[in-house]
Amino acid sequence: MTSWAAHADLTQPCHARRGQGNYVMVHVKGKASTVKILSKLTVAALVAATLATPAAALEPLSQEKYINDRLVAARVADLIRRGCPTIDARLVYAWSQARALKRYAERKGYSSAEIDAFLDSRADKDRIYAIADTYLRQNNATDEAGLCRLGREEIGRRSVTGSLLIAK
């Protein structure tokens, strides 16, 4: 006899009237009691179990791709606008994008202190600057002509970097 079959006689339907929910007759140590099974209790149990589990740990900000990609794009845009006299920065837009990026990080669960520490970190700045420098070198933008050409291309592609720039 299977385990289920051995206990089949312990639960029996009570034949409740329609619309009154599901009932199960449970025999516990020879006594019968009626238990109403509610979907709300099931949902409550699942919510409690979910809340009881620890939240997933956030990855370090230095590894958060979306944030780092936008910081690299901002650095590239800054280097282009400084090195090309015919391209300028969209400063108000860049400022609003920086605020939006901070809100994004906060919504993901990073605290203001974590965000500030990341932005103030010399090691993280150096890493972002190095990635931006590599991007410029790979795109032959190491002099004024190259920076201007890349800036116009970024603006034309409507990339993140290009959205921070404007041709004069």
Side-chain angles (χ1 to χ4, degrees), residues 84-104:
C84 177
T86 60
I87 293 180
D88 208 355
R90 296 177 60 200
L91 293 176
V92 173
Y93 180 74
W95 183 83
S96 71
Q97 290 302 298
R99 299 288 304 152
L101 195 56
K102 183 173 184 178
R103 283 191 308 273
Y104 170 83

Side-chain angles (χ1 to χ4, degrees), residues 126-146:
D126 290 345
R127 181 182 51 77
I128 288 167
Y129 289 7
I131 295 169
D133 290 341
T134 299
Y135 180 78
L136 292 174
R137 276 193 313 278
Q138 288 173 345
N139 286 279
N140 298 317
T142 55
D143 60 1
E144 183 179 302

Side-chain angles (χ1 to χ4, degrees), residues 36-84:
K36 185 172 184 180
I37 300 172
L38 298 172
S39 61
K40 288 181 183 178
L41 289 177
T42 304
V43 170
L46 290 172
V47 169
T50 301
L51 293 177
T53 60
L58 290 171
E59 63 189 336
L61 275 166
S62 62
Q63 296 174 11
E64 211 291 335
K65 183 172 175 31
Y66 180 84
I67 291 172
N68 282 266
D69 286 351
R70 269 135 189 88
L71 291 174
V72 169
R75 175 63 179 168
V76 169
D78 188 47
L79 292 172
I80 290 171
R81 74 144 180 119
R82 288 174 186 238
C84 177

